[in-house]
Amino acid sequence: MLFENVRFLDTTLRDGEQTPGVALTSKDKVDIATKLDELGVNVIEAGSAITSEGERESIRAVVAEGLNAEICSYCRIMKPDVDYALACDVDSIHLVAPVSDLHINVKLKKDREAVRKMAIETTEYAKEHGLIVELSGEDASRADLEFLKSLYIDGVDAGADRLCFCDTVGLLVPEKAELIFKDICSAVKAPVSIHCHDDFGLATSNTIAALRGGAQQAHVTINGIGERAGNTSLEEVVMTIEWLYKHKTGINTKEIFKTSRLVSRLTGIPVAPNKSLIGGNAFTHEAGIHVHGLLADTETYEPIKPEILGRERKIVLGKHAGKSSVTLAVKEMGFEVDDSQLHEILNRVKELGDHGKKVTDADLQTITETVLSIQREAKVILEEYTVVSGNKVTPTASVKLKVDGQDVVEAGIGDGPVDAAFASIRKGISGIADVQLEEYHVDAISGGTDALVEVLVKLSKDGKMVTARGSRTDIVMASVEAVINGINRLI
């Protein structure tokens, strides 16, 4: 049956590190792997054991967590790669054999039969040592299909448990992918996976088409990260199957957004605001006509409820805001306003928008409380802060806070003075809340070394997110101000 019992092999930990500038620590990999396990992925490709001792340490650390998912190592068709994987005590290997003549002749400088022999011998060796083997054809979309099928058949005879078709440079189109998989799946006696790259933006479409053609497992990454244009996005494939094709995947979709944020933070790769499902704008609304529709029925301008992904709907206010936008935003903050108060709040919001300002949650709360004459005492007040930084000094910050009326003094270190200041603030409020910094943005409002800077931050707590602003000539103070404003909005 179509999409019945689809499995997911997640390659975020390996393919993410193929992205320029990404270097995950062992702790990072364990944190991501643990979250992937919570999501319910079937296989986690934890890295390539042959790469380095540091890579092997991180793979062993993931294995040591005792996760429910099968833990896998990427291997070339070489016995030493298998030996290194065995030393990491993984459950399986993703054994990759180049199958296009371009890769065989140019990259390996061998012929088809030499590759076939290497693939078979390495498969047999891995099986003799108790590993699950997924035999993968690299650059399969440019390979001779008859050669590929014969290699797969020989691989299964040698003991391969699964097979994989790799669209290594993203050259498949959906209609061709479906036909290819119908052909391959009828010719081989083992489950076949699809592994796509997004060079032409078709990774998700090709993956869905392959699953329609009979593939039983999809290779995916969180946020679609990976080398070049990235890999197939887990969240896109899962939600396409669940929401558009109405089949359960076994993935805990309510953890998708949290996992996305974690991967983005640890890899340092931001998620594009317009990225489907997980981008900042995916469930964000500003135009008055849209929000008017949402007030009547959220389905008017949302294909699914944000809560399904562990998200919240967000109303952005600016010069395009209408009465509906402000009504919904104020209501979600827990305020009740009459028509005259609503009119005044709307005018103040538009005034900020006309001056090019982004109206943050903290701004709207302040405006609303002013209009309603509400005096709300902040739970966290900054009394003083100190930062020390230099080319031969570890950036360190200390803060004195008043938290719920009690004096708290904490210190922290970081990658820079702002990071250190945030670390010390997080320690200071740890007794009442665990707040995460999701996004940080700085703009210079005026020129010169004494420029007024505006800092915008996005903070989260237990899945709830807020934005806040700080404006100062001192970038650290502006950052601290923004964070404190956001914290008070969250708690």
Side-chain angles (χ1 to χ4, degrees):
M1 186 177 176
L2 191 66
F3 301 118
E4 192 73 23
N5 300 318
V6 171
R7 289 164 50 91
F8 293 93
L9 187 153
D10 190 283
T11 65
T12 300
L13 295 182
R14 182 180 68 87
D15 282 312
E17 287 202 324
Q18 304 299 309
T19 304
V22 175
L24 297 172
T25 66
S26 289
K27 184 181 182 304
D28 293 339
K29 286 200 170 189
V30 168
D31 288 346
I32 293 173
T34 301
K35 201 64 185 171
L36 293 174
D37 199 52
E38 290 179 19
L39 270 182
V41 301
N42 305 94
V43 185
I44 298 172
E45 191 174 301
S48 177
I50 190 67
T51 301
S52 67
E53 180 53 36
E55 182 80 340
R56 290 188 285 278
E57 287 179 5
S58 66
I59 294 173
R60 285 192 285 265
V62 171
V63 170
E65 289 297 300
L67 305 176
N68 293 319
E70 175 187 311
I71 307 301
C72 176
S73 173
Y74 176 96
C75 290
R76 299 168 300 175
I77 45 175
M78 300 174 68
K79 291 180 182 178
D81 285 38
V82 178
D83 290 333
Y84 278 117
L86 287 165
C88 295
D89 200 27
V90 295
D91 302 303
S92 64
I93 58 171
H94 178 200
L95 185 62
V96 180
V99 291
S100 70
D101 289 333
L102 175 64
H103 277 233
I104 291 170
N105 300 331
V106 176
K107 187 174 78 171
L108 290 188
K109 302 190 184 305
K110 296 184 182 296
D111 58 30
R112 291 182 180 182
E113 291 313 306
V115 167
R116 185 194 304 273
K117 182 180 179 183
M118 292 170 67
I120 300 312
E121 288 181 350
T122 311
T123 297
E124 291 174 339
Y125 182 73
K127 292 303 298 179
E128 288 168 3
H129 288 79
L131 289 168
I132 299 168
V133 175
E134 180 160 331
L135 178 60
S136 192
E138 183 181 17
D139 203 28
S141 47
R142 289 191 288 191
D144 175 69
L145 190 56
E146 294 307 312
F147 168 67
L148 179 63
K149 287 190 291 186
S150 71
L151 178 65
Y152 282 163
I153 291 168
D154 288 347
V156 172
D157 289 342
D161 301 277
R162 300 188 296 262
L163 305 168
C164 180
F165 183 105
C166 292
D167 184 24
T168 302
V169 290
L171 295 176
L172 279 179
V173 291
E175 57 271 25
K176 184 178 179 181
E178 185 169 354
L179 290 174
I180 287 173
F181 270 80
K182 285 180 177 178
D183 186 0
I184 291 174
C185 292
S186 65
V188 301
K189 296 180 180 179
V192 186
S193 302
I194 176 65
H195 179 111
C196 290
H197 285 255
D198 205 32
D199 296 80
F200 285 86
L202 293 172
T204 295
S205 297
N206 285 329
T207 297
I208 294 296
L211 292 170
R212 286 179 54 86
Q216 292 177 257
Q217 181 171 265
H219 287 204
V220 290
T221 63
I222 299 298
N223 301 341
I225 63 173
E227 57 188 318
R228 303 187 314 279
N231 292 64
T232 305
S233 165
L234 176 143
E235 52 277 2
E236 291 176 2
V237 173
V238 167
M239 296 314 298
T240 296
I241 294 173
E242 293 225 353
W243 204 251
L244 302 183
Y245 286 95
K246 309 302 181 185
H247 283 272
K248 289 295 182 182
T249 61
I251 295 297
N252 181 4
T253 64
K254 289 185 177 180
E255 293 298 317
I256 284 178
F257 188 62
K258 289 181 183 177
T259 308
S260 167
R261 296 294 99 180
L262 175 69
V263 170
S264 178
R265 179 167 57 84
L266 294 181
T267 60
I269 302 174
V271 176
N274 62 334
K275 173 74 168 64
S276 60
L277 301 170
I278 55 170
N281 293 346
F283 295 96
T284 298
H285 309 273
E286 177 179 359
I289 189 170
H290 280 211
V291 179
H292 181 74
L294 288 171
L295 284 169
D297 188 333
T298 57
E299 289 186 10
T300 53
Y301 289 102
E302 288 178 349
I304 62 175
K305 294 184 182 298
E307 294 83 4
I308 292 171
L309 296 161
R311 300 197 59 171
E312 291 183 338
R313 182 175 301 107
K314 190 168 184 58
I315 307 301
V316 173
L317 301 177
K319 65 180 180 181
H320 299 295
K323 289 179 66 176
S324 298
S325 305
V326 175
T327 299
L328 185 55
V330 168
K331 184 178 180 181
E332 289 191 348
M333 286 184 169
F335 295 111
E336 293 291 336
V337 297
D338 60 29
D339 286 343
S340 63
Q341 291 166 335
L342 177 63
H343 183 72
E344 179 60 24
I345 293 169
L346 178 60
N347 285 342
R348 296 192 186 199
V349 166
K350 284 183 174 289
E351 184 179 350
L352 281 177
D354 285 337
H355 285 85
K357 298 285 188 181
K358 297 177 182 177
V359 181
T360 67
D361 300 304
D363 292 334
L364 180 62
Q365 181 170 336
T366 300
I367 290 171
T368 303
E369 290 177 351
T370 300
V371 170
L372 298 180
S373 300
I374 295 173
Q375 296 297 320
R376 178 174 295 182
E377 186 175 348
K379 286 193 174 183
V380 179
I381 299 171
L382 177 70
E383 298 285 345
E384 60 182 67
Y385 86 96
T386 304
V387 292
V388 178
S389 186
N391 66 332
K392 294 185 178 180
V393 176
T394 299
T396 305
S398 63
V399 294
K400 181 179 180 182
L401 306 171
K402 193 172 287 293
V403 181
D404 275 344
Q406 301 295 315
D407 287 336
V408 176
V409 177
E410 283 290 355
I413 61 173
D415 292 331
V418 173
D419 191 38
F422 181 64
S424 62
I425 293 170
R426 280 194 70 198
K427 285 184 181 179
I429 64 167
S430 60
I432 60 170
D434 181 18
V435 174
Q436 299 287 335
L437 176 64
E438 299 290 346
E439 292 180 17
Y440 175 85
H441 185 73
V442 179
D443 279 321
I445 298 175
S446 56
T449 57
D450 61 346
L452 181 66
V453 297
E454 179 179 72
V455 174
L456 285 172
V457 297
K458 182 179 287 186
L459 304 174
S460 68
K461 173 184 172 290
D462 299 329
K464 180 182 179 181
M465 287 201 180
V466 300
T467 55
R469 174 193 293 112
S471 297
R472 300 275 179 150
T473 55
D474 181 336
I475 189 171
V476 180
M477 187 57 216
S479 303
V480 169
E481 182 178 66
V483 168
I484 296 292
N485 287 340
I487 288 171
N488 283 313
R489 173 75 183 87
L490 276 173
I491 62 177

